C-alpha cells in the first residue's frame, strides 16, 4: 500500500490542522506517527518493514520505490525473502512442476514481494545480491538491496534486472535485446534514452 505521511499509521489521525504534528520514524523516514505511544505500539508490525523507501506510481512503468531520505553508498535498503524457491519444485512425470502453494503465489506475483517493486535501469543506483544462508543462519533464500551510489531523497531506487550478466561491459544494443526478450519491455531509462552515456561504451571510447 502507498504510505500516507499525512496520517498516523497506528490511529489514523491526520495532520491537516496546524496543531496536529506528525513525526517520521527516525530510521526509515517513510512512515509517520502522531505520538511515541502510537509508534511503540506499531513497532512489532513496522520493525519488519522499517526500510528507507516508499511505494510510488511511475506512469507506464507502474509502481516503483522512491527514497524516503538521503541514502549513502553501501547502505542497506532492504532485505527480502524468496517466497518461491527451488524447494517449491516437484518432479512430475511431465517434468518439474511447482507446488500448489507456489503456483498460487506465482499467480499473485509474490516471488519477491518487496524487490519485485524495484524498476530497472541500465544506470542503476542500487544492486541486489543473495545472502549467504550459512553465515547469516538463514536457510531460506534471502536477498538484500544496497545503494551503489548516493541516492537523494525522492529519487527512484532502481536495479539492473539481468543482475547475473557481465554488465556493464555488454554493448547497449545487446543489453536492450536481453531485457526485451527476458523481461518483455523496451527499456527507456536514462542510458537508453541517451541522457546518460552507457558505462561500457564510455570505457571503450576512453581506450587509447
Amino acid at each position: 500500500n502507498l504510505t500516507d505521511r499525512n496520517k498516523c499509521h497506528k490511529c489514523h489521525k491526520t495532520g491537516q490542522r496546524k496543531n496536529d504534528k506528525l513525526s517520521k520514524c527516525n530510521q526509515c523516514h517513510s512512515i509517520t506517527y502522531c505520538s511515541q505511544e502510537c509508534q511503540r505500539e506499531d513497532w512489532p508490525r513496522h520493525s519488519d518493514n522499517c526500510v528507507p523507501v516508499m511505494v510510488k506510481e511511475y506512469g507506464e512503468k507502474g509502481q516503483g520505490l522512491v527514497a524516503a531520505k538521503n541514502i549513502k553508498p553501501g547502505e542497506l535498503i532492504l532485505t527480502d525473502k524468496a517466497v518461491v524457491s527451488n524447494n517449491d519444485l516437484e518432479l512430475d512425470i511431465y517434468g518439474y512442476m511447482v507446488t500448489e502453494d507456489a503456483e498460487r503465489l506465482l499467480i499473485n506475483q509474490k516471488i519477491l514481494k518487496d524487490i519485485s517493486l524495484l524498476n530497472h535501469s541500465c544506470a542503476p543506483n542500487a544492486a541486489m545480491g543473495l545472502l549467504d544462508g550459512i553465515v547469516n543462519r538463514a536457510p531460506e533464500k534471502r536477498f538484500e538491496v544496497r545503494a551503489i551510489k548516493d541516492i537523494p531523497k525522492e529519487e527512484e531506487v532502481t536495479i539492473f534486472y539481468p543482475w547475473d550478466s557481465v554488465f556493464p561491459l555488454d554493448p547497449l544494443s545487446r543489453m536492450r535485446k536481453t531485457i526485451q526478450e527476458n523481461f518483455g519491455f523496451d527499456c527507456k531509462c536514462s542510458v537508453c534514452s541517451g541522457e546518460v552515456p552507457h558505462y561500457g561504451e564510455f570505457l571503450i571510447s576512453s581506450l587509447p
Side-chain angles (χ1 to χ4, degrees):
N1 294 329
L2 298 174
T3 302
D4 184 357
R5 290 196 291 181
N6 292 316
K7 181 185 296 185
C8 175
H9 199 81
K10 179 62 180 176
C11 70
H12 307 299
K13 178 182 178 181
T14 61
Q16 300 296 333
R17 294 177 298 180
K18 185 176 181 180
N19 295 328
D20 291 338
K21 294 183 179 180
L22 301 179
S23 299
K24 299 176 185 176
C25 171
N26 288 332
Q27 294 188 68
C28 67
H29 291 214
S30 63
I31 196 169
T32 50
Y33 298 100
C34 66
S35 65
Q36 291 184 352
E37 181 180 359
C38 276
Q39 185 172 7
R40 283 194 298 268
E41 291 179 0
D42 192 50
W43 179 247
R45 182 209 60 82
H46 177 58
S47 58
D48 290 334
N49 302 284
C50 191
V51 293
V53 288
M54 298 181 297
V55 179
K56 183 177 179 179
E57 294 288 344
Y58 282 98
E60 63 179 13
K61 291 196 300 183
Q63 292 182 334
L65 296 181
V66 62
K69 66 173 185 176
N70 295 330
I71 303 175
K72 298 295 183 182
E75 185 175 340
L76 177 65
I77 298 175
L78 61 88
T79 59
D80 202 2
K81 175 184 174 182
V83 182
V84 175
S85 68
N86 289 337
N87 294 330
D88 294 310
L89 295 176
E90 292 180 340
L91 185 60
D92 185 80
I93 58 174
Y94 300 108
Y96 282 95
M97 305 285 290
V98 295
T99 62
E100 184 176 334
D101 287 341
E103 185 175 13
R104 174 179 54 80
L105 292 168
L106 283 168
I107 292 173
N108 291 324
Q109 299 179 346
K110 294 179 181 177
I111 298 176
L112 282 166
K113 66 181 183 66
D114 296 326
I115 291 178
S116 63
L117 289 169
L118 289 164
N119 286 317
H120 163 85
S121 173
C122 295
N125 52 25
M128 62 175 285
L130 181 63
L131 290 170
D132 189 327
I134 297 177
V135 173
N136 294 278
R137 298 182 180 180
E140 71 274 9
K141 292 188 175 182
R142 294 173 63 244
F143 293 81
E144 69 173 11
V145 176
R146 290 184 180 271
I148 58 175
K149 59 179 71 173
D150 284 312
I151 306 178
K153 179 181 177 181
E154 303 297 339
E155 180 176 303
E156 184 181 12
V157 179
T158 57
I159 58 174
F160 185 73
Y161 276 11
W163 64 286
D164 56 348
S165 74
V166 293
F167 171 82
L169 299 181
D170 274 351
L172 181 58
S173 58
R174 185 186 301 170
M175 284 179 13
R176 297 191 67 179
K177 181 179 179 181
T178 298
I179 292 167
Q180 171 58 242
E181 291 178 348
N182 294 351
F183 301 97
F185 67 90
D186 292 317
C187 184
K188 299 178 182 179
C189 72
S190 56
V191 173
C192 293
S193 63
E195 298 175 25
V196 176
H198 173 44
Y199 184 61
E201 295 180 359
F202 170 77
L203 288 178
I204 294 173
S205 65
S206 301
L207 293 176

